[in-house]
Amino acid sequence: MPKITIDGREIEAPANAMLLPVALENGVHVPHYCWHAKLSVDGSCRMCQVEIEGSPKLVIACNTPVREGMVVRTQTPAVQNARRGVMELLLVNHPLDCPICDKAGECLLQDYSYAFGSRQTRTKEPRRKLQKRKEIGPRMILDQERCILCRRCVRFCREITHTNELGVFNMGDRSMLDVMEGQPLANDYSINTADICPVGALESKDFHHKLRVWFLKKTPSVCPSCSNGCNITVHHYRDRIWRMMPRRNDAVNESWMCDHGRLNYQQVGDETRLRQPQLRRTAKLQTVAWDEALGYVARTLRDTVRTHGAESVGVIASPHLTNEELFRLGQVVSLLGTKNVDTALVVGQGDNLLIKPEKAANARGARDMGLRPTAGGLNVAAMLEAAAAGKLRVLYILGSDVWKVADPQALCGALEKVGCLIVQDVFDSPLTERAQVVLPSLTWAEKTGTFTNVKGRVQQIHRAVAPRDEQPSDGEIFSRLLNQLGEGQWHFEATAVLEEIASAVPAYAGISFARVGAQGFALPESAGDAA
Amino acid sequence: MATQTVAVRRPLAMRAGFIRSAFAILKGLWITNRHFWRNLWGFIIRKPTVFTVQFPEERLVQPNAFRGMPVLVQMDNGKERCVACGLCEWACPTDCITIYPAETADEIERYPRVFDIDMSRCMFCGLCEEACPEEAIVMSQNVEICAYSRRGTLWHKDDLLVPVDKLLDTRLFHVRRGYDR
């Protein structure tokens, strides 16, 4: 462990580490453009120059390994002069696009220009003209004039996605960033290049000219699109989500997230969402009050269990719900006494970077909370068969994944035979068309709770946008059902339910929101996945 | 508790202040009286000296620096100069500006799809004008923002657009002179 001194402070650095990350970790801010924690060192921006005692010239901190007894100064006049020079060179050709640039407000060039640049321009020559607004992929736009040639995106495409679409062409002051001929930036992780771009050269089409970044409020959360559970920050404003950004978590997603997950927020603010419970009294679904709908559901479930036995009720759970909600659902199921409970899970394509085949955030959590058929119980396919044979009188379906999983013909046949179909979902679907009762569900962005990812890491999600019309969460719906079905006063409060989980589910023993924290809590290895 | 009377002797300076304020009242009365008699005399000799403006038939000519409601500058091609950078929205102390940007195929690629000013909240401070990097929002001479409903005080982009020629010899003249200095 070499000991070094930065600005008079003694710091113990890990062996073979580079100077820049050591300084940043210890709270010494050394400005940098091309260095990124998850990419290789390039050393092309020259912004991180520092003074080292005994060295004849300034050196770049990102490519200088720490050495025992090294004395580093980051605030000397020589360093400040070098930074001002670098800034001036970068700004020679950088267009004055700040008012229309989406990066303005989170742009490193802006920030460092305020902090280290000079206030005047000395050049009078016209700025370099290159291509603006170039479509380089289905989700990305390139503005070559704004690029400062830090090559972060080039390294990302080379080292992380191994697709090599981007490159710097020409030499010297004619260098410019572009995509390879006939090879658009179309990989599944392309929008990450917009995140790591220190300026507004690479922009996501989805967020292009949408909102100034300084209005955005940030809520840490977890991506709901697959079971990898990438840590994200939800950027929202005026109760609407505007974009999602990856949040660094070295155990899960490092600094990246896939484009599919990132663009999967539109459903939250969709106008066609179900907002009110509906009940089919005649041929048509009618909007009813919550108490009426839940009363009907509870009455139907209780009467069916009483007259036809618990085995005539089936529950198909959704792996999009939080652990807390699924735990409450489990309580409803055990109160009914039915063994016919399963989770409908869409399994698709995965890759070896982040995307996992299980296309739901909490597939593992649903298994851990016991929402799968136990001995004598029916799974999804068997439930549909039983329904088609007229043995299943009430089917309670959460989410619409079963529509994608089951054979459509078998499903339609089964649903026609079911006496009472209860559907709880976010959107209208072929399921709600056939339902007796429709209960609207909340999306992940409107609730607080935990998801368990495929590797058994429990992570928190937080409410980013408020639900409309005080719409209750799914957990609240289950709690109210419990109140109607049996004795007791159940409420739904995620913190309290997680405590219940901690004492009821062995694998989750001792878990709490405090222990889950911002970076998640890995379940012990012994608590293997039930699947 | 028994009350106790304390005789207070005010310092001389305070008593002098009382005399001064009494004098100020007399002075104010004198000004009112002077105007009253002057106006009366004016009526008698048929040369009235009243300052009242018979609004709305008569209107005052405001100085160039006058800050009325903010308006959007319209370029010669009929489009707004605003690029929806959002700095006025950010600078506004009363949060009365709402902007949603969008993209066009024009050379200036960004424009405000929605530009609303809630005139019932605007306090004519002019910080939006100061924040604007494009000289796209300026204060006008207009202060007539009354409406029959709250909704009517919400001005949209089309209501706010004013051709640049109309502003050149008033507020814009003043703003540019300020920057030249």
Side-chain angles (χ1 to χ4, degrees):
Chain A
M1 297 279 275
K3 266 196 188 129
I4 61 168
T5 314
I6 304 182
D7 290 343
R9 246 178 70 199
E10 284 233 332
I11 288 167
E12 212 161 295
N16 300 328
M18 291 297 170
L19 187 53
L20 181 60
V22 171
L24 293 177
E25 265 161 41
N26 287 287
V28 181
H29 188 74
V30 180
H32 56 272
Y33 292 112
C34 67
W35 182 85
H36 188 278
K38 295 290 167 192
L39 299 173
S40 67
V41 173
D42 195 64
S44 57
C45 74
R46 318 308 288 181
M47 193 62 188
C48 62
Q49 293 178 80
V50 290
E51 200 177 283
I52 294 177
E53 218 162 75
S55 163
K57 286 201 282 187
L58 300 180
V59 297
I60 50 171
C62 65
N63 206 14
T64 306
V66 290
R67 194 163 18 83
E68 180 65 42
M70 198 182 227
V71 179
V72 184
R73 296 199 190 86
T74 68
Q75 300 294 336
T76 58
V79 172
Q80 280 166 356
N81 198 23
R83 284 173 187 167
R84 204 163 39 242
V86 170
M87 281 310 303
E88 196 168 10
L89 272 174
L90 289 176
L91 290 172
V92 161
N93 280 318
H94 193 79
L96 256 178
D97 273 354
C98 300
I100 58 161
C101 176
D102 287 319
K103 202 77 177 187
E106 53 180 11
C107 171
L108 286 183
L109 197 66
Q110 265 186 348
D111 295 352
Y112 292 165
S113 183
Y114 276 112
F116 312 111
S118 80
R119 302 276 158 201
Q120 291 93 26
T121 346
R122 288 190 289 171
T123 51
K124 293 196 171 67
E125 292 75 21
R127 279 150 204 259
R128 192 161 65 139
K129 286 274 172 233
L130 288 170
Q131 199 170 354
K132 295 181 88 72
R133 281 198 272 179
K134 181 178 184 183
E135 259 196 56
I136 54 164
R139 295 171 291 276
M140 293 298 295
I141 298 175
L142 169 65
D143 189 317
Q144 291 176 326
E145 286 182 7
R146 292 181 195 158
C147 178
I148 59 165
L149 301 167
C150 72
R151 295 172 177 84
R152 268 188 185 182
C153 51
V154 178
R155 275 174 286 150
F156 176 82
C157 290
R158 199 170 58 211
E159 292 160 16
I160 307 294
T161 63
H162 306 291
T163 44
N164 294 306
E165 293 105 337
L166 288 164
V168 173
F169 297 83
N170 297 344
M171 290 172 77
D173 71 341
R174 289 194 186 84
S175 316
M176 60 176 197
L177 180 75
D178 209 340
V179 282
M180 302 286 172
E181 186 77 36
Q183 203 182 345
L185 182 61
N187 64 56
D188 286 336
Y189 299 88
S190 61
I191 306 183
N192 286 303
T193 54
D195 296 347
I196 57 174
C197 183
V199 294
L202 284 158
E203 287 179 339
S204 140
K205 261 190 207 173
D206 179 61
F207 190 66
H208 196 47
H209 295 324
K210 280 284 166 65
L211 195 75
R212 311 275 45 198
V213 293
W214 51 78
F215 291 117
L216 292 166
K217 294 179 178 64
K218 290 160 191 162
T219 304
S221 193
V222 172
C223 176
S225 297
C226 80
S227 56
N228 192 49
C230 294
N231 287 215
I232 57 163
T233 312
V234 181
H235 291 221
H236 53 99
Y237 178 57
R238 291 183 182 142
D239 268 339
R240 190 182 144 184
I241 299 180
W242 293 86
R243 65 171 176 185
M244 291 176 5
M245 296 266 267
R247 180 161 55 92
R248 186 171 165 185
N249 187 337
D250 291 350
V252 184
N253 58 324
E254 301 201 319
S255 288
W256 324 119
M257 74 184 289
C258 72
D259 292 357
H260 172 72
R262 191 192 297 257
L263 302 179
N264 202 8
Y265 65 87
Q266 267 100 353
Q267 52 153 326
V268 176
D270 198 303
E271 285 304 314
T272 60
R273 261 179 66 177
L274 295 166
R275 301 281 182 190
Q276 292 285 328
Q278 291 168 307
L279 186 59
R280 196 184 300 274
R281 285 208 199 81
T282 52
K284 257 178 75 180
L285 277 172
Q286 281 173 321
T287 304
V288 292
W290 273 100
D291 285 342
E292 198 180 343
L294 289 176
Y296 181 88
V297 171
R299 225 166 29 245
T300 314
L301 286 171
R302 197 167 42 215
D303 293 351
T304 314
V305 170
R306 199 171 291 158
T307 48
H308 301 283
E311 62 275 11
S312 61
V313 175
V315 177
I316 298 178
S318 162
H320 298 281
L321 301 180
T322 64
N323 283 329
E324 291 75 15
E325 290 168 338
L326 290 166
F327 182 75
R328 271 279 185 276
L329 179 64
Q331 285 175 309
V332 175
V333 170
S334 56
L335 193 68
L336 291 172
T338 181
K339 284 175 184 165
N340 306 332
V341 54
D342 198 3
T343 308
L345 173 64
V346 177
V347 179
Q349 290 289 316
D351 66 8
N352 48 15
L353 187 51
L354 293 177
I355 303 171
K356 296 283 182 287
E358 290 179 340
K359 298 295 175 202
N362 205 21
R364 163 87 190 248
R367 293 191 284 269
D368 288 350
M369 294 300 134
L371 293 168
R372 61 205 154 82
T374 42
L378 307 174
N379 63 9
V380 173
M383 257 189 262
L384 295 180
E385 260 174 46
K391 284 182 207 154
L392 219 56
R393 283 169 194 276
V394 179
L395 192 54
Y396 189 176
I397 300 182
L398 297 118
S400 55
D401 277 2
V402 67
W403 189 260
K404 297 167 198 158
V405 174
D407 172 36
Q409 269 189 329
L411 187 61
C412 287
L415 295 184
E416 267 162 34
K417 290 280 174 61
V418 170
C420 178
L421 175 64
I422 304 158
V423 176
Q424 185 168 325
D425 197 6
V426 180
F427 284 105
D428 267 325
S429 67
L431 291 175
T432 58
E433 281 164 24
R434 292 164 172 81
Q436 190 80 16
V437 191
V438 177
L439 301 172
S441 178
L442 285 187
T443 58
W444 57 278
E446 292 151 323
K447 49 197 181 190
T448 297
T450 57
F451 283 156
T452 311
N453 83 350
V454 69
K455 286 179 194 153
R457 195 179 188 83
V458 184
Q459 307 186 98
Q460 286 186 51
I461 59 166
H462 293 280
R463 172 179 283 192
V465 295
R468 230 177 271 178
D469 311 326
E470 310 258 309
Q471 195 185 324
S473 72
D474 302 71
E476 186 64 36
I477 295 173
F478 302 142
S479 301
R480 288 190 200 173
L481 269 183
L482 278 177
N483 292 343
Q484 301 237 1
L485 283 170
E487 305 294 306
Q489 287 290 311
W490 297 94
H491 295 290
F492 188 76
E493 213 274 301
T495 329
V497 181
L498 194 62
E499 273 171 32
E500 287 175 44
I501 293 176
S503 53
V505 183
Y508 287 65
I511 203 162
S512 68
F513 271 100
R515 281 186 82 176
V516 171
Q519 299 275 303
F521 171 76
L523 294 178
E525 288 289 323
S526 53
D529 195 344
Chain B
M1 213 170 116
T3 44
Q4 201 184 356
T5 315
V6 181
V8 179
R9 189 172 162 71
R10 298 276 179 213
L12 191 70
M14 279 177 86
R15 277 181 290 160
F18 172 74
I19 293 163
R20 264 208 301 280
S21 59
F23 177 71
I25 291 170
L26 289 176
K27 196 172 161 187
L29 281 173
W30 156 243
I31 291 169
T32 321
N33 262 279
R34 193 181 63 195
H35 280 282
F36 173 72
W37 292 114
R38 190 187 282 175
N39 287 344
L40 192 65
W41 179 244
F43 271 113
I44 292 168
I45 64 162
R46 310 244 160 211
K47 276 185 188 166
T49 50
V50 277
F51 302 118
T52 316
V53 176
Q54 296 300 321
F55 187 84
E57 289 82 11
E58 270 184 274
R59 278 161 206 257
L60 283 178
V61 179
Q62 307 291 8
N64 286 342
F66 184 79
R67 291 203 310 261
M69 56 170 254
V71 293
L72 287 175
V73 177
Q74 191 177 26
M75 294 187 293
D76 292 337
N77 64 3
K79 291 185 174 166
E80 63 283 319
R81 198 181 264 174
C82 173
V83 295
C85 76
L87 288 179
C88 53
E89 196 179 4
W90 185 244
C92 182
T94 59
D95 279 354
C96 67
I97 305 177
T98 308
I99 304 170
Y100 285 106
E103 189 174 3
T104 66
D106 295 356
E107 194 192 354
I108 303 169
E109 60 182 78
R110 190 175 158 117
Y111 78 104
R113 176 168 57 86
V114 172
F115 197 112
D116 291 351
I117 300 183
D118 187 349
M119 287 299 173
S120 63
R121 276 157 77 174
C122 178
M123 60 184 201
F124 300 175
C125 65
L127 285 179
C128 50
E129 179 195 70
E130 208 167 303
C132 184
E134 302 283 334
E135 210 176 61
I137 186 166
V138 287
M139 311 308 278
S140 67
Q141 307 264 329
N142 190 7
V143 288
E144 291 155 32
I145 53 170
C146 299
Y148 287 104
S149 63
R150 291 265 172 109
R151 195 157 284 261
T153 61
L154 188 68
W155 288 53
H156 302 294
K157 188 174 84 178
D158 295 338
D159 314 328
L160 288 165
L161 281 176
V162 172
V164 64
D165 326 335
K166 285 197 181 170
L167 295 160
L168 270 179
D169 47 355
T170 55
R171 180 74 188 175
L172 262 182
F173 175 80
H174 170 76
V175 170
R176 285 182 183 172
R177 204 179 52 177
Y179 279 113
D180 287 346
R181 207 180 287 139

